[in-house]
Amino acid sequence: MRGRFEEPLDPVVARFNSSIGFDWELLPYDLIGSRAHVRMLGQVGIISPSEMAQLVAGLDQIEQAWRTGEFQPDPAWEDVHSAVETRLTVLLGDVGKKLHTARSRNDQVATDLRLYTRDHIQRLLNLLQQLQAVLVTLAEAHQTTLIPAYTHLQRAQPVSLAHHWLAYFEMFDRDRTRLVDCNRRLDVSPLGSGALAGTTLPIDRAYTAELLGFARPSANSLDAVSDRDYVVELLSALSLILTHLSRLSEELILWSSQEFGFISLTDSCATGSSLMPQKKNPDVPELIRGKTGRVFGHLLGMLTTLKGLPLAYNKDLQEDKEALFDAVRTSEDCLRVMAVFLEKGMVIRTERLAQAVTEDYSNATDAADYLVRQGIPFREAYQVIGALVRTALADGKLLQDLTLTEWQAAHPGFSEDIYAAIQPAQVVNARNSYGGTGLAQVRQALLAARARLAL
Amino acid sequence: MRGRFEEPLDPVVARFNSSIGFDWELLPYDLIGSRAHVRMLGQVGIISPSEMAQLVAGLDQIEQAWRTGEFQPDPAWEDVHSAVETRLTVLLGDVGKKLHTARSRNDQVATDLRLYTRDHIQRLLNLLQQLQAVLVTLAEAHQTTLIPAYTHLQRAQPVSLAHHWLAYFEMFDRDRTRLVDCNRRLDVSPLGSGALAGTTLPIDRAYTAELLGFARPSANSLDAVSDRDYVVELLSALSLILTHLSRLSEELILWSSQEFGFISLTDSCATGSSLMPQKKNPDVPELIRGKTGRVFGHLLGMLTTLKGLPLAYNKDLQEDKEALFDAVRTSEDCLRVMAVFLEKGMVIRTERLAQAVTEDYSNATDAADYLVRQGIPFREAYQVIGALVRTALADGKLLQDLTLTEWQAAHPGFSEDIYAAIQPAQVVNARNSYGGTGLAQVRQALLAARARLAL
Amino acid sequence: MRGRFEEPLDPVVARFNSSIGFDWELLPYDLIGSRAHVRMLGQVGIISPSEMAQLVAGLDQIEQAWRTGEFQPDPAWEDVHSAVETRLTVLLGDVGKKLHTARSRNDQVATDLRLYTRDHIQRLLNLLQQLQAVLVTLAEAHQTTLIPAYTHLQRAQPVSLAHHWLAYFEMFDRDRTRLVDCNRRLDVSPLGSGALAGTTLPIDRAYTAELLGFARPSANSLDAVSDRDYVVELLSALSLILTHLSRLSEELILWSSQEFGFISLTDSCATGSSLMPQKKNPDVPELIRGKTGRVFGHLLGMLTTLKGLPLAYNKDLQEDKEALFDAVRTSEDCLRVMAVFLEKGMVIRTERLAQAVTEDYSNATDAADYLVRQGIPFREAYQVIGALVRTALADGKLLQDLTLTEWQAAHPGFSEDIYAAIQPAQVVNARNSYGGTGLAQVRQALLAARARLAL
Amino acid sequence: MRGRFEEPLDPVVARFNSSIGFDWELLPYDLIGSRAHVRMLGQVGIISPSEMAQLVAGLDQIEQAWRTGEFQPDPAWEDVHSAVETRLTVLLGDVGKKLHTARSRNDQVATDLRLYTRDHIQRLLNLLQQLQAVLVTLAEAHQTTLIPAYTHLQRAQPVSLAHHWLAYFEMFDRDRTRLVDCNRRLDVSPLGSGALAGTTLPIDRAYTAELLGFARPSANSLDAVSDRDYVVELLSALSLILTHLSRLSEELILWSSQEFGFISLTDSCATGSSLMPQKKNPDVPELIRGKTGRVFGHLLGMLTTLKGLPLAYNKDLQEDKEALFDAVRTSEDCLRVMAVFLEKGMVIRTERLAQAVTEDYSNATDAADYLVRQGIPFREAYQVIGALVRTALADGKLLQDLTLTEWQAAHPGFSEDIYAAIQPAQVVNARNSYGGTGLAQVRQALLAARARLAL
């Protein structure tokens, strides 16, 4: 678009400047936006009904050519917007030159990008829901499977494996609400904001907003063309999704190690080594964990790009697209492949887990609580059991191996029923406070999770 | 807290490990949380009514000692939580040892941090509202002041200065909704989640949630003690607040330069040079712009810290506090000082602005729209005006300096009324589409802004 | 590579896992590495001379097929390494299966990536040198052109425009030394480190290092396969290059604004607006400035990916490539296009600059120094001139407009020669300390710059 | 410093603007810089010998007051530089007002910050060297201790534990060279660059550079006052140090888990739980791992702050200090405490390690290499062993448990000596290629490491 120019662009500059290599992804959204714009121009009489019909038909024809693969991006073009306008003018002649009436690329690309983002938020919501459904199914199957739970990667207390899966359910549930909030905030139509100040032509922005399914037109034209908050907000939400996936991945990697041995890997989701014939590697969770940095990087890159830009549009904003597209694609891929991995990539080794929860001191808190129920101040009970663990360790015994005499030497409050109180199944089941790992709580949590998913 | 330990901590390790140097900021929230916890323990009968009364009184006494400055952090202490428990035990004897019944530092610090965050979100909302109020006041005073608006820092089209201030109003309005969403999501009580699995004691989590003013108890204990999503989410929201402030700062810096000259700096918000006697510098917006990186850095640091942590609590999470506290403090400071700057730090040079809008080609679109209104396809009109600008530039003339003959040579559609159409006031006022800079639109936007602020 | 596997990879996982979509960029380096490896295997007798000859010929043939475009990546392949091995085996039969003897993909990809990085560091050094040469040429042409220099974007003191260009020369010169240091550090050959522990076969790592032009083989096999320091180090160096380019870009954008008007844009490196016919935008520096965030993001992403990875190779490391390739490509493009812009994209408006340096108070320090030379303590002189500026401003006068009486009222030390001392040319020329903007200094600096470039 | 101002700073602005809260850390460096400056002023005759002597004595007196704790920062002061000048003027009267002759805060703070950075690079080098010495000592003690080595956290091949420690030695060795390079690049004196253009007074910059121990004065005054490359470069180097520490920390955390059990924690470097009496947590490596994000955040924050700043000094640069100081302090702490942890915080469980290396398939590559030595193409041998592992797994056997008949059924090339070839000690020792884990190699590597440390 070179209204007042006499000489052509330097070819190095033209290549550097062109966005056609990546903004082609916006094509379907650009056509949706242009169709709405043209219908509005016709509606308010800025163009005639016949011109409107021709333009709509031309845009439909372009969409058809794109769907069949005939309309392909040419590296020589500046961007997707001028590609469409040019092709339309080839198709329709002078009428095509009316497409850009009362519009600027600034409000146009802002509209396209919101349409893209809205669409992909919907896809992300679906993928999150699917992953949550897998987690619920796993949780239902493992309500009475016990697993050591950790703080500081040291065994803390055993929990129901269902409880563990539901912790991730909660994280992804918050992720969904963040996406919904982001979507609600981006739900305004910038179309009609012009270059930055609106237009002198009698357009109807409420009508284009309605045609595009936006809640309302944006309230300030300067803001509308320079706002990329929703891009940052989505990148932040994706960064948290990846954070959650990275935590789950870390655990799956740990669990599949020979040392933990809590899961084994199936052939369908693991890969081998080029050198070591015995290897079977958890590539899926590793790669997800690795891609976390990539999404964080895009968030940071976008924030840096926006920092200190004066109003309104600046060319720097062209950098919004690749970061967003890649982060969205990466996040969608990771959600999809994590669901596949959880469903098909691992076998939970229940016998190993059953053994694991019996071989440590993770019932020590229960021994302290046992005394607390007799009125011993907690901190005192804590000291008693701490000392007991110390001597048991020195003797190479677990708490359940101590004789009643040894228990009573530590504190006279202990009786025979201490052994029942510190059995793993009891340790888990006794944590029956709301949100705890007691089986009744877990059953309630499962019902609630199912209900939330159905929404 | 060293239940099973025989030897003391190495002093280098103790210093490294201690958080008392920064988590003292949580003290008031820790006392609120402990009071609620103790009242619940009494309510359900885990401790006696008298024990409850003593503990509450002891916590009140500690708060009093803190308010008077008598209770001060000692570098030798491990953290704020054990400092309170220790002091309570000194005050009350054995009863103090019951404070930590049915609680872990893991759910305790999660509760404290949510209370802190909730409180500061409220402060940030107030500061945003105050800044928006200043913007509205400025906008009301400058509805008919015209200012060049820019894309690519090249003059694009003139706008009402009120329209410009209201663009920032919109940004800060979105910021408020993000804080509200963050607050809604953090509005759950982790208290009672214990170390990670709940507790065997018959606590009432709904009651503590209610006492603390949280909407409900958290649904999964593992998630509750390891969730820091709200920290990241607040840091993201603050990063966007700083992004908006950095854009406004950049403009204020530009405007106060001799070249722009749109504002002059008052003595009360500017500083000088140690060497150059003539200097008067816009330190406030520069420093705000500089602090943008700081807040981004905290966001990024926090995300990195969370990446790949297995469930549940890991010591890495101790790093959540300093980043959050500093980002909150920085953001609050920047919002406060920006409001001061806008109110007292600058004088808008209206005479300079009035001249500026007459000395460029930013009315060229209006000349094209003039033809469009006669049915000329936009792209054709655009080419006509592009050529006209080119020749005018070559002749050292502005568009308003061209003779009617010159206009008509460019296109026969031009008549005498072209001169009226391209006057700055008309250029601004004609952009009367919704959200545009036309004066009627700006008046409407101001009314709407006032209404939104009152909420 | 699925030694012990019975079932195929799930297709979703296969797609997610495959790196062929981006590691194809390593193909030429992979062939170089494999050729050296094979020659070494022959040299030490692990394979026969004839096998070696066949393998080398086969690798040459593959390179040929790649150069002619016949060998293209297939999305179904796992990675570039297995693609080469498979094709070689198709070409050569069983001999091809000997390619991977005494090697793992872990040391192979580490070698490839170092070869890639070394190669591109060389290209970046050349591009930096070319950009510096353009700066020196500009500086030579503008030794006596004066321009206002700024602190806080407020006019500080005038300088020679040559001095300004040479400031950027210095920055890019440091950038070159950082690349050289990075290159020196990466100059070790990981080939022969095997999966992570070396190999049982009698390889000669010094020989492959020599064939590949590396200074020496790496000293520790575990480190060698998991070290990506050089990737981070290059990304850091690129981040600083982009930081420097972003500062230069910011200035070019400012200078091309109507308000500064220090340069005008040529047609060959500027673009227009789709709506506003008059627009001519500095897209090149804007886009460079915008891409700064992109490179920062890659640095951050890579650091995050590496954080907390246990030794040795983890699949997360597959994420090293795209970030690096994109950052390198972006940086190379930005350096190239900035040189084009400086050469062809702008015209320096010397008349405007000549006027600019006469219209402000940036000679105030010289008036203070005038008194200092008479023995007045600097802080006192500073206060005298500060007061003088204040009254001059109030009267709408510049310092040069004050009468001698006014000067002497401020301080008796002033005589007629104060007028000469505060003329812009004198102000610039008098700053004759080493590294200052005095013309003799600038001439020296130019000579030194020329000399450093020739190296 | 308010030369031309009539009204005072608004108190909110004054607080926001002041840097005394953190730049006090520069005080010793500021005094060093000022002393050199004053001696030079005397040397060239800008001030008299007596004035010089008084100023030096005054600066000494201030240093004394600081050392004794009598000179403390007051929140009301603007910055450390004006605090010194003011105090000096109180001490000396009018002579104090000569301190700032031929100097600006811009070159002054640039000098101070370089002195600070140079000093702390030296401390960091020492801390790295001490940590490396600990690693070498550990390696010497564990040359024949075998440990499983991992790729993808799956057991790959056993290695000498010494080899493992030496991998980290290599990383920290590279870190040292990066610090040395950074130091070499920052080794220029900006003093005398003035505000940005040099000075009109006849200063001798080579003399101050020499007095300050810098290699030379900086070459361009504009660059000198706005260059913060060395801050970014140090933050990058620190980010890699923390990356290495985070990897080591991750391994120590894994190793101290019950599942790995490769080390046990001593009391002196571990902490417990407030609730769970049995807990003993690896807080030190966890906290180090967590602080990695903090340092990355500072790097990123600093880069963001610098992005797009026009020349020369801008107030944004005030943000350089806190990030740098905190990152330096954090890195120094982490290096120091990691050395303590390795020395006193863990006990290596050699019996557990000895068992671990016998219980997996990590000798499979050796079985393949066994066939390769008979001329079988590697990829074929790999397939043979892959199949063998598959059937062994199905039968619940390790490779060493297979009968010779089973070996020979897989491939006729196997004889009795296969059992010797796949024993862990042999597997390790046979990897005798340079840089491999074979014991002879490890001994060589240890000698080389000792030698490098002595430098």
Side-chain angles (χ1 to χ4, degrees), chain A residues 189-207:
Chain A
S189 171
L191 196 59
S193 299
L196 51 59
T199 176
T200 69
L201 299 168
I203 60 173
D204 181 347
R205 295 189 59 211
Y207 185 54

Side-chain angles (χ1 to χ4, degrees), chain B residues 150-152 154-156 250 256 258-259 273-274 276 278-279 286 300 304 307 359 365 379 382, chain C residues 150-152 154-156 250 256 258-259 273-274 276 278-279 286 300 304 307 359 365 379 382:
Chain B
Y150 299 77
T151 61
H152 308 258
Q154 297 288 319
R155 294 203 183 163
E250 175 85 6
S256 68
Q258 178 154 1
E259 287 72 16
S273 156
S274 72
M276 298 173 286
Q278 88 280 8
K279 287 302 292 293
E286 287 179 281
L300 215 292
T304 304
K307 178 225 163 190
E359 66 193 18
T365 317
R379 189 57 65 212
Y382 170 93
Chain C
Y150 299 78
T151 61
H152 308 258
Q154 298 287 320
R155 293 202 182 165
E250 175 84 5
S256 69
Q258 178 154 358
E259 286 73 14
S273 155
S274 71
M276 296 173 286
Q278 88 280 9
K279 286 304 290 293
E286 287 179 280
L300 209 290
T304 304
K307 177 226 163 189
E359 66 192 20
T365 317
R379 188 59 64 213
Y382 170 92

Side-chain angles (χ1 to χ4, degrees), chain B residues 88-403:
Chain B
L88 200 62
T89 303
V90 168
L91 283 176
L92 305 181
D94 267 10
V95 171
K97 295 182 184 172
K98 296 204 165 184
L99 172 68
H100 211 58
T101 312
R103 191 174 73 169
S104 161
R105 268 184 304 193
N106 296 351
D107 58 339
Q108 183 181 2
V109 72
T111 304
D112 292 3
L113 203 60
R114 281 179 191 258
L115 290 170
Y116 166 91
T117 306
R118 189 178 68 181
D119 191 15
H120 281 275
I121 284 178
Q122 200 50 55
R123 296 186 202 195
L124 286 157
L125 284 170
N126 291 342
L127 288 164
L128 279 165
Q129 203 171 14
Q130 285 159 26
L131 179 55
Q132 286 180 296
V134 173
L135 288 165
V136 167
T137 303
L138 278 169
E140 276 168 350
H142 288 286
Q143 294 180 62
T144 57
T145 306
L146 306 190
I147 186 171
Y150 299 77
T151 61
H152 308 258
L153 207 64
Q154 297 288 319
R155 294 203 183 163
Q157 293 165 348
V159 296
S160 157
L161 180 49
H163 194 58
H164 197 104
W165 295 125
L166 288 176
Y168 285 101
F169 179 94
E170 291 296 320
M171 297 180 213
F172 296 124
D173 220 50
R174 279 193 299 278
D175 288 327
R176 285 206 289 153
T177 65
R178 262 184 291 269
L179 291 179
V180 168
D181 286 349
C182 177
N183 197 47
R184 183 166 37 74
R185 232 179 319 273
L186 76 74
D187 195 17
V188 296
S189 171
L191 196 59
S193 299
L196 52 58
T199 177
T200 68
L201 299 167
I203 60 173
D204 181 348
R205 297 189 58 213
Y207 184 55
T208 43
E210 187 195 325
L211 288 173
L212 295 170
F214 284 122
R216 61 182 181 289
S218 58
N220 183 290
S221 58
L222 278 164
D223 175 51
V225 294
S226 53
D227 172 27
R228 294 297 185 273
D229 284 10
Y230 58 96
V231 175
V232 173
E233 192 172 340
L234 180 54
L235 290 171
S236 296
L238 298 179
S239 292
L240 275 170
I241 290 174
L242 265 288
T243 300
H244 298 151
L245 287 171
S246 80
R247 301 187 74 167
L248 178 51
S249 294
E250 175 85 6
E251 298 205 308
L252 295 170
I253 294 164
L254 289 174
W255 293 358
S256 68
S257 70
Q258 178 154 1
E259 287 72 16
F260 278 79
F262 294 173
I263 57 173
S264 56
L265 301 172
T266 66
D267 283 8
S268 68
C269 297
T271 66
S273 156
S274 72
L275 173 66
M276 298 173 286
Q278 88 280 8
K279 287 302 292 293
K280 196 170 191 179
N281 296 326
D283 291 70
V284 167
E286 287 179 281
L287 202 44
I288 293 173
R289 186 178 61 183
K291 285 180 189 292
T292 308
R294 178 181 192 131
V295 174
F296 291 2
H298 288 315
L299 167 60
L300 215 292
M302 189 65 215
L303 280 167
T304 304
T305 295
L306 292 175
K307 178 225 163 190
L309 290 187
L311 294 185
Y313 184 84
N314 297 277
K315 184 75 167 190
D316 314 56
L317 293 181
Q318 180 166 312
E319 284 295 302
D320 57 4
K321 286 177 229 25
E322 283 172 281
L324 178 65
F325 297 167
D326 188 70
V328 162
R329 197 179 305 119
T330 300
S331 304
E332 290 177 359
D333 284 351
C334 289
L335 286 169
R336 191 177 296 115
V337 79
M338 178 57 91
V340 170
F341 184 87
L342 292 178
E343 273 194 313
K344 304 169 48 182
M346 64 172 189
V347 176
I348 295 169
R349 298 178 59 194
T350 47
E351 79 302 339
R352 167 79 188 106
L353 288 172
Q355 179 207 336
V357 293
T358 65
E359 66 193 18
D360 59 36
Y361 298 87
S362 63
N363 47 10
T365 317
D366 298 75
D369 283 352
Y370 181 98
L371 293 179
V372 164
R373 275 191 295 272
Q374 299 175 29
I376 316 297
F378 171 73
R379 189 57 65 212
E380 190 179 323
Y382 170 93
Q383 297 295 357
V384 167
I385 307 303
L388 204 56
V389 167
R390 195 161 58 235
T391 55
L393 265 170
D395 299 348
K397 288 181 175 178
L398 295 172
L399 290 182
Q400 52 267 42
D401 303 331
L402 298 176
T403 63

Side-chain angles (χ1 to χ4, degrees), chain B residues 2 5 9 13, chain D residues 265-272 280-284:
Chain B
R2 300 174 64 74
F5 291 74
L9 262 186
V13 172
Chain D
L265 301 172
T266 66
D267 283 8
S268 69
C269 296
T271 65
K280 196 169 188 180
N281 297 324
D283 291 70
V284 166

Side-chain angles (χ1 to χ4, degrees), chain B residues 403-452:
Chain B
T403 63
L404 189 55
T405 315
E406 288 172 310
W407 282 102
Q408 290 174 340
H411 198 282
F414 287 113
S415 315
E416 189 64 34
D417 57 355
I418 181 62
Y419 294 104
I422 62 170
Q423 293 221 353
Q426 172 59 15
V427 164
V428 170
N429 207 19
R431 282 178 168 68
N432 207 26
S433 51
Y434 178 78
T437 193
L439 299 189
Q441 292 298 330
V442 168
R443 253 191 313 276
Q444 284 304 318
L446 266 168
L447 289 175
R450 274 264 172 243
R452 277 193 277 167

